[in-house]
Amino acid sequence: MVMDSMDKYENVILYLCSELGGRICGKKKLFKLLYYVDFDMFEYKESMSTITGTNYYAWKMGPVPEKDEFNEVIEKLVRDGKIKVDKENINSYDIPTTMQIFCANSEPNKDLFSEDEIFILERVVSHYGKLKGGELESLTHREAPWICTEQSGPIPFELAFYRGTDFNES
């Protein structure tokens, strides 16, 4: 991953955490928010570019970012003391499981983002930030990028144009 992309990727995560009360509950929620950040950016004004620079894959639970890149970014954020990853025991469908909680220890560097990127980040927070991981999963399962991609396959960014996103809605 290119260093500039990694800096933006890190700061997208910090931005999302910061705007959502300092933390994001669950890896699934974080994965889906990242998906919306990049696919909205790709579609917005037909920019055909993403913010994080990562690729996404169609897993059973919906779109997920490239695993090794995601882990590298999270490990660097933890190592640098910018984020803390806690674990919380929960019952999911009466099955005990562990949820990761991503807690920001520092503010994002917003100077890394263009005006359009800030618009997309704000939009993702306002449209999807209050939803739980399972709700975001359901939403992504109704969109062309996940529907039209073979299970575990890479999701083509061009499918963003078939989601029918209305960037004029508040």
Side-chain angles (χ1 to χ4, degrees):
M1 177 180 275
V2 179
M3 189 56 69
D4 183 47
S5 292
M6 181 177 264
D7 285 345
K8 277 196 171 181
Y9 200 161
E10 289 177 18
N11 281 279
V12 165
I13 293 171
L14 290 172
Y15 183 95
L16 293 170
C17 286
S18 173
E19 294 297 313
L20 296 171
R23 60 190 240 153
I24 295 174
C25 298
K27 191 185 276 188
K28 183 188 292 189
K29 179 171 181 167
L30 180 54
F31 282 174
K32 302 308 167 266
L33 292 175
L34 290 169
Y35 159 80
Y36 279 113
V37 163
D38 281 334
F39 276 73
D40 280 8
M41 186 70 229
F42 192 89
E43 183 181 5
Y44 185 61
K45 296 182 180 177
E46 297 183 10
S47 76
M48 299 178 68
S49 65
T50 67
I51 301 176
T52 70
T54 195
N55 292 306
Y56 292 82
Y57 296 85
W59 283 9
K60 183 178 180 179
M61 67 174 191
V64 298
E66 201 283 319
K67 181 181 160 189
D68 291 338
E69 288 179 3
F70 175 81
N71 289 335
E72 180 182 349
V73 168
I74 293 297
E75 287 169 10
K76 184 174 183 312
L77 284 167
V78 168
R79 194 172 50 247
D80 293 346
K82 293 180 179 179
I83 203 166
K84 180 180 171 192
V85 181
D86 289 329
K87 295 187 179 185
E88 186 176 296
N89 293 324
I90 60 167
N91 284 327
S92 179
Y93 303 105
D94 295 325
I95 300 169
T97 189
T98 303
M99 176 187 287
Q100 290 183 329
I101 312 293
F102 301 88
C103 306
N105 292 330
S106 64
E107 292 296 315
N109 179 358
K110 294 179 183 177
D111 293 336
L112 292 175
F113 303 119
S114 69
E115 189 177 311
D116 285 345
E117 290 170 335
I118 291 290
F119 170 79
I120 292 299
L121 289 165
E122 289 173 351
R123 182 184 188 285
V124 167
V125 167
S126 70
H127 277 72
Y128 308 108
K130 291 186 174 117
L131 300 176
K132 294 179 182 176
E135 294 170 314
L136 291 167
E137 175 183 345
S138 293
L139 282 176
T140 63
H141 281 190
R142 294 191 301 261
E143 295 186 346
W146 189 82
I147 292 168
C148 297
T149 303
E150 197 171 304
Q151 189 68 34
S152 301
I155 301 174
F157 279 101
E158 291 77 12
L159 291 174
F161 296 112
Y162 298 95
R163 297 180 310 146
T165 309
D166 183 357
F167 290 106
N168 294 317
E169 56 183 88
S170 53

